[in-house]
Amino acid sequence: MARRKRQQPRNRCGFMGEVYWGTEDYNRRLYEAYLNQVFQLAIARYEWRGLPATVDPIWLERTLLCRGVATVAQPLRGRKRGLWYAAKMVTDGELNVYDRPSKWIAYSRELLRFRCTPKNGVIVYDNDTRIPMLDGIDLAVRELVDIQKTKQVNRFHQKVPYILVTDPDTELSADNLLLNIMSGNPATIANRGITNIETYPLQTQVPYLGAELTAAEQNVWNRIYTMLGIANVTYKSERMIEDEVRSMSEPATMMALSGLIERRRAADMLTDLTGNEVTVIWRRDNLSENVNALENVKEATQIIAGQTKGLGEVL
C-alpha cells in the first residue's frame, strides 16, 4: 500500500507552512501588493473638475497610467449620441505635423466604439513625452520586492539557535529552562544536574543589514514619488536647509507639471466643446483642511466667549 504524503499545516487563510515567504505564490502576491500601492498613489494625483457627469475621472486616470493616452469624446450617432465618455483610443488616420491624430476611434470593450475628430472629442496624454510610466513603475516595484526578500533572508540568518547538549536525565530540565526563559519568568527551579547542560552557539557570520536595507527601500520609494511628481526628500538627509530641500524636490515638481500641462491642454479643449469649465489641479484634501479650520475657529470662539462671561461675573 502506498504511503500517503503528509499534508503541510495551513493557517486560517489557507496558506501553507511556516516558510510561505519562500514560495512563488508569496512573491507574486508581494509584487501585486506593492504595485497596488503605487497605482493608488498614481491615480489619486490629479483632480478633474467640471467633467460631464458621464465621464469617470478615475477610469480616465487609470487608462492614462496604463496606456499613456486616452480620449474624452461623445458619439455623433446611435443610442449614446450626445453623451460624453472617457475611453481608450486608437489612431484612425495620418498624424498632423505635431504627431497628433486628427482622427481616432474611441472604444471600451465591446460596449463602446465610435469614430472621433476634434469636433466631438479630445485626446488626453499622461505626460508630455506621451510614453506611459508603467515600465518605470514595474521596475521600481520589482526592486521593492527584491529588497523585501533580501530583508527576510537576512533576518532568517539572524535566527540562529543554540544547541543544548544534555543527557536523558536532564533533558526535561533543559526543556523547562527554555520554557521559563521564553515565558519571561525571573527564576527557574531545577535540580543540580542542570549544571551539566552544555551550550554551543551556531554562527552563520552573516551581519544584520536592517539599517542598510531600510535605507535602500526608502530610496526606491523616493524614486517612485519623484516619478509620480510627489514631493519627497532623500532618506537620511537631516539638517538640510530650506533651499536644499526645495532643490531636491524640484525634479518631482517638474514631473507633476509634465502631467498637468497635457491634462490642462485637454481640459481647455473640453471647455470649448462642452461649454463646462473643465479644469485639472494637483489633488489635495482641501475639504478636510477647511472643516478642521472652521472647527478650530468655533472652539476658539466658544473659549473666548466663556472667558468673557466669567470675567463679567467676577467684575
Side-chain angles (χ1 to χ4, degrees):
M1 182 176 180
R3 186 176 180 179
R4 296 183 61 183
K5 185 177 180 180
R6 184 179 178 183
Q7 292 289 334
Q8 294 185 16
R10 295 176 179 266
N11 63 16
R12 66 181 61 187
C13 295
F15 300 134
M16 302 287 287
E18 296 180 355
V19 291
Y20 175 66
W21 58 267
T23 64
E24 182 62 30
D25 182 65
Y26 176 82
N27 294 339
R28 177 186 57 79
R29 295 177 67 241
L30 182 62
Y31 171 83
E32 291 178 353
Y34 277 131
L35 188 64
N36 182 53
Q37 292 181 49
V38 179
F39 263 52
Q40 290 185 51
L41 291 173
I43 292 175
R45 292 174 299 160
Y46 301 106
E47 180 178 352
W48 290 80
R49 295 183 176 182
L51 285 174
T54 51
V55 176
D56 185 349
I58 301 298
W59 196 93
L60 174 60
E61 284 297 324
R62 188 173 63 184
T63 304
L64 290 173
L65 177 63
C66 295
R67 302 177 65 87
V69 63
T71 184
V72 179
Q74 62 172 343
L76 296 179
R77 57 178 61 88
R79 294 183 303 171
K80 296 180 174 63
R81 178 182 179 182
L83 297 178
W84 289 90
Y85 293 96
K88 302 172 187 177
M89 61 85 62
V90 61
T91 303
D92 185 29
E94 296 182 357
L95 305 178
N96 63 16
V97 294
Y98 299 114
D99 286 342
R100 292 181 178 271
S102 56
K103 296 180 181 180
W104 65 95
I105 297 176
Y107 68 96
S108 179
R109 301 187 181 182
E110 70 279 358
L111 302 177
L112 189 72
R113 186 179 180 88
F114 58 92
R115 297 184 181 276
C116 303
T117 68
K119 294 182 180 180
N120 68 316
V122 168
I123 295 176
V124 188
Y125 291 103
D126 181 54
N127 52 68
D128 48 17
T129 65
R130 309 178 192 177
I131 300 174
M133 62 174 62
L134 198 58
D135 285 343
I137 290 176
D138 176 76
L139 293 174
V141 168
R142 291 183 186 276
E143 282 200 48
L144 289 175
V145 173
D146 182 67
I147 293 173
Q148 180 62 25
K149 296 292 296 181
T150 305
K151 274 186 174 183
Q152 291 168 330
V153 173
N154 186 248
R155 291 200 306 263
F156 172 80
H157 284 291
Q158 310 310 311
K159 300 176 182 178
V160 180
Y162 283 81
I163 298 177
L164 301 182
V165 179
T166 68
D167 54 48
D169 295 334
T170 56
E171 184 175 351
L172 181 59
S173 297
D175 288 341
N176 291 333
L177 176 62
L178 289 176
L179 180 61
N180 288 335
I181 293 174
M182 294 174 62
S183 302
N185 292 334
T188 183
I189 299 174
N191 55 43
R192 296 184 183 277
I194 199 172
T195 58
N196 295 327
I197 298 176
E198 299 178 14
T199 304
Y200 297 95
L202 292 176
Q203 297 181 358
T204 62
Q205 305 296 331
V206 177
Y208 181 55
L209 303 176
E212 292 83 352
L213 291 173
T214 298
E217 180 181 15
Q218 186 59 55
N219 284 329
V220 173
W221 273 113
N222 288 341
R223 284 164 45 197
I224 293 174
Y225 297 149
T226 299
M227 187 190 316
L228 298 179
I230 301 172
N232 63 91
V233 179
T234 303
Y235 188 69
K236 289 190 174 181
S237 53
E238 302 90 350
R239 301 182 182 88
M240 294 179 62
I241 63 176
E242 183 178 353
D243 290 341
E244 290 176 330
V245 174
R246 186 181 299 110
S247 64
M248 293 189 66
S249 63
E250 195 71 17
T253 302
M254 293 296 101
M255 292 295 291
L257 288 176
S258 176
L260 275 174
I261 289 171
E262 286 299 329
R263 285 166 175 79
R264 285 174 176 170
R265 185 199 302 271
D268 292 340
M269 296 178 182
L270 280 173
T271 297
D272 295 335
L273 288 178
T274 64
N276 299 336
E277 185 178 354
V278 182
T279 58
V280 184
I281 62 173
W282 189 257
R283 189 182 297 275
R284 186 174 179 179
D285 190 12
N286 295 317
L287 179 60
S288 294
E289 294 181 1
N290 293 337
V291 170
N292 291 333
L294 290 174
E295 290 294 330
N296 292 336
V297 171
K298 185 186 299 183
E299 291 180 4
T301 304
Q302 293 174 351
I303 292 173
I304 294 173
Q307 290 176 348
T308 304
K309 181 178 179 181
L311 290 174
E313 293 175 353
V314 172
L315 295 175

